[in-house]
Amino acid sequence: RPRAPSRVREKDISMTDDTTAGLPALKATYSTVAAAEIARAVEETYALGAVAFCELIRRGFNDVYEVRFESGGRCVARLAGLRARGPCNSAYEGALLAHLQSEGVAVGAAIPNAEGALWRVFAAPEGARTLMLLRWLDGAPPRANLDDVALMGRGLALIHTAGATYGGPPSRYGYSLEALRGGGLARLLAAPTMDEAARASIVAGASQVTQAR
């Protein structure tokens, strides 16, 4: 049976190769991958059937797509961005989410692909990017009231309690004060949108935190 094409918005349709023939090339540092390409990658990588709908719902640190299957299933496709700090942390993230789920915490755990892996690396215009498929969790943004604050606090407490027994692959990156003051602070201060007043304020704040230890 021929498969119906994945639904994509007009903004996702890219130019064909013949429109760029003979033009000088420009190097990309960030690209937005078309929803149709994500749908194709999901179908080729996961044994979940045909994709009926795929749409970019958030771009930024990671690009996030909603994916719906003809079978009625729904999930999130997360395409990790290239990060100044180094390679993607997929092994740690996938294993930690699986551990939290096994402990009864409601998290969007990674879905194994047809080969049993929790992610796959694809070539994007700017370099290698990692695709991970995650469980879809229904919910609503927290509201500015004490009930929602308390609910969020309980959820975070469950994550921290369950995470204390995690014994899987370690994270590539730490969040110690020394690590944050090192590469993280340097990258923040080097941002092109940072002005001198903001740099001075951040340096002063980092100094106060160090002295308070």
Side-chain angles (χ1 to χ4, degrees):
R1 182 172 68 89
R3 179 179 61 82
S6 303
R7 173 183 165 186
V8 296
R9 293 189 181 277
E10 185 177 353
K11 65 181 179 181
D12 289 328
I13 301 175
S14 57
M15 294 186 295
T16 56
D17 292 341
D18 59 359
T19 63
T20 60
L23 297 178
L26 296 175
K27 182 180 179 180
T29 57
Y30 172 79
S31 65
T32 301
V33 177
E37 285 295 285
I38 296 296
R40 179 183 62 81
V42 169
E43 289 183 342
E44 292 177 354
T45 307
Y46 292 84
L48 297 174
V51 173
F53 174 91
C54 184
E55 181 179 63
L56 176 69
I57 55 177
R58 191 190 69 190
R59 62 166 57 89
F61 191 65
N62 295 304
D63 291 341
V64 179
Y65 300 77
E66 177 185 354
V67 180
R68 301 179 193 172
F69 297 93
E70 289 185 0
S71 62
R74 190 181 187 189
C75 65
V76 168
R78 191 197 74 174
L79 188 65
L82 294 180
R83 304 173 187 179
R85 65 179 183 178
C88 189
N89 212 7
S90 300
Y92 167 72
E93 293 169 348
L96 177 59
L97 287 171
H99 172 76
L100 294 176
Q101 180 176 261
S102 71
E103 293 293 315
V105 182
V107 295
I111 301 170
N113 63 30
E115 297 180 353
L118 297 181
W119 70 90
R120 184 181 178 187
V121 180
F122 288 86
E126 68 272 33
R129 297 180 67 177
T130 302
L131 180 70
M132 184 179 284
L133 216 58
L134 306 168
R135 291 176 56 221
W136 180 278
L137 296 180
D138 289 319
R143 297 164 298 177
N145 60 54
L146 292 179
D147 288 340
D148 279 17
V149 171
L151 184 62
M152 181 183 297
R154 287 195 294 271
L156 291 173
L158 287 173
I159 290 174
H160 282 281
T161 301
T165 58
Y166 172 73
S171 175
R172 289 178 179 270
Y173 309 103
Y175 292 95
S176 65
L177 179 60
E178 288 74 17
L180 294 175
R181 290 186 66 247
L185 180 61
R187 290 193 296 271
L188 179 62
L189 295 176
T193 55
M194 190 72 63
D195 58 33
E196 290 305 318
R199 287 191 179 93
S201 177
I202 291 172
V203 170
S207 178
Q208 290 176 358
V209 171
T210 302
Q211 295 172 6
R213 294 187 65 190

